[in-house]
């Protein structure tokens, strides 16, 4: 929980009674909760500093075991029962040992995923689906994905490749082998990026996705993709607004893509269950060390998802 606006030092863990599951709700014993860059931004002051929003519970995704089911609680995949292993998204306040959420937020956990993988699947996964839908990526097209080795990037690379696209992904050289393994052509970011992309894709790009929020990512995308409606960012909102590309996510003025993201949940669990989608976990931290997890994710150099465990 964030008791003030600022950096990770404002985070603390408190003990609270967990309410019973009411009508349409389920209670979950959390086994893992995903940590996302957005979690660090909501208490940073980036979206305002209204004191009425404090203290602020954090987290939007979790995986765990259903311990109670209220009347008429049904999820997108059907009835929910005590003992079910599930993933919850959107799950407000997911950084918790126990959580009460609407049944509509709960989908079955694929048995082949670890708790850590399940806890980190949804937020990055639905964001990746939203990005690919927003840029209209199709078979036999070429897309540039900036930040391809991050949590969202690794999902977007796999999903774009599964669509039959040629995927170019920016990352540091140490992560290039992983991107090749997942179906992308890796390209180092930094000075000269546009020329390196042209060398790999001389026939040009159809679309681009900025998942890191740097001016370089936005400006190179605009330079190389003729149709700005086929460029989207989930992080470079100020620069993106200036150049007229699509802004996606939870920031003010961005398209939240609620319907697309909700529909993506069962698509993602099925892809993970069929082993067409890998969830890479960069690290896990005990819940009481959430501040350390936030320091890590703020570096912007994690490969995969950071998760919290009880």
């Amino acid at each position: 929980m964030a008791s003030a606006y600022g950096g990770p030092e404002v985070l603390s863990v408190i003990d609270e009674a967990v309410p019973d599951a009411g009508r349409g709700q389920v209670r979950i014993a959390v086994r893992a909760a995903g940590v996302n860059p957005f979690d660090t931004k909501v208490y940073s002051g980036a979206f305002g500093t209204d004191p009425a929003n404090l203290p602020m519970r954090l987290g939007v995704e979790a995986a765990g075991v259903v311990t109670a089911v209220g009347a008429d609680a049904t999820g997108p995949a059907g009835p929910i029962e005590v003992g079910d292993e599930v993933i919850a998204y959107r799950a407000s306040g997911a950084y918790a040992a126990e959580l009460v959420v609407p049944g509509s937020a709960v989908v079955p956990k694929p048995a082949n995923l670890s708790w850590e993988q399940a806890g980190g699947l949804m937020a990055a996964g639905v964001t990746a689906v939203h990005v690919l839908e927003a840029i209209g990526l199709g078979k036999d097209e070429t897309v540039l994905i900036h930040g391809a080795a991050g949590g969202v990037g690794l999902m977007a690379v796999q999903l774009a490749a599964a669509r039959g696209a040629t995927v170019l992904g920016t990352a540091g050289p140490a992560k290039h082998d992983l991107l090749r393994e997942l179906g992308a052509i890796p390209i180092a970011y930094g000075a000269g990026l546009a020329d390196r992309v042209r060398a790999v894709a001389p026939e040009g790009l159809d679309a681009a996705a900025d998942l890191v929020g740097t001016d370089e990512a936005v400006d190179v995308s605009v330079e190389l993709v003729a149709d700005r409606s086929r460029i989207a960012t989930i992080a470079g909102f100020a620069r993106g607004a200036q150049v007229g590309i699509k802004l996606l996510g939870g920031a003010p003025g961005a398209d939240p893509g609620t319907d697309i993201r909700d529909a993506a949940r069962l698509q993602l669990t099925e892809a993970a269950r069929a082993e067409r989608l890998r969830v890479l976990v960069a690290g896990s931290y005990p819940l009481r060390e959430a501040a350390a997890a936030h320091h890590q994710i703020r570096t912007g150099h994690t490969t995969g998802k950071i998760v919290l465990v009880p």
Side-chain angles (χ1 to χ4, degrees), residues 3-246:
S3 57
Y5 290 100
E9 69 279 356
V10 306
L11 301 184
S12 61
V13 177
I14 64 171
D15 292 324
E16 284 186 337
V18 180
D20 292 332
R23 180 174 292 275
Q25 296 180 319
V26 300
R27 189 174 66 213
I28 299 170
V30 176
R31 297 289 185 263
V35 177
N36 297 286
F38 180 80
D39 300 343
T40 72
K41 293 178 182 178
V42 293
Y43 66 87
S44 70
F47 303 146
T49 56
D50 185 349
N53 293 330
L54 297 173
M56 186 183 298
R57 296 181 64 188
L58 302 176
V60 296
E61 62 177 336
V65 179
V66 175
T67 57
V69 179
D72 302 324
T74 302
I80 306 165
E81 298 182 355
V82 171
D84 285 352
E85 296 186 348
V86 298
I87 299 173
Y89 176 84
R90 300 177 177 86
S92 179
Y95 292 9
E98 289 189 284
L99 189 64
V100 174
V101 298
S104 59
V106 172
V107 297
K109 168 190 169 293
N112 57 317
L113 293 188
S114 69
W115 286 118
E116 290 82 0
Q117 289 174 316
L121 169 63
M122 280 298 162
V126 301
T127 302
V129 171
H130 185 196
V131 169
L132 299 184
E133 288 294 313
I135 62 177
L137 186 66
K139 184 179 180 181
D140 298 327
E141 293 193 312
T142 301
V143 61
L144 175 62
I145 297 178
H146 300 273
V152 177
L154 291 171
M155 298 284 189
V157 163
Q158 295 177 77
L159 295 170
R163 292 185 178 209
T166 297
V167 184
L168 283 58
T170 70
K175 302 175 183 180
H176 285 191
D177 285 346
L178 173 60
L179 292 182
R180 289 189 188 96
E181 184 180 336
L182 297 178
I185 300 169
I187 299 176
Y189 57 79
L193 174 58
D195 289 337
R196 290 192 293 278
V197 173
R198 289 190 184 97
V200 172
E203 296 183 1
L205 301 177
D206 297 292
D210 163 35
L211 310 181
V212 290
T214 62
D215 286 351
E216 174 190 72
V218 173
D219 293 345
V220 167
S221 297
V222 169
E223 180 179 347
L224 298 179
V225 178
D227 183 354
R228 296 192 184 189
S229 72
R230 302 204 65 191
I231 307 171
T233 181
I234 64 168
F237 300 115
R239 184 66 181 142
Q242 289 175 353
V243 299
I245 64 175
K246 291 182 175 179

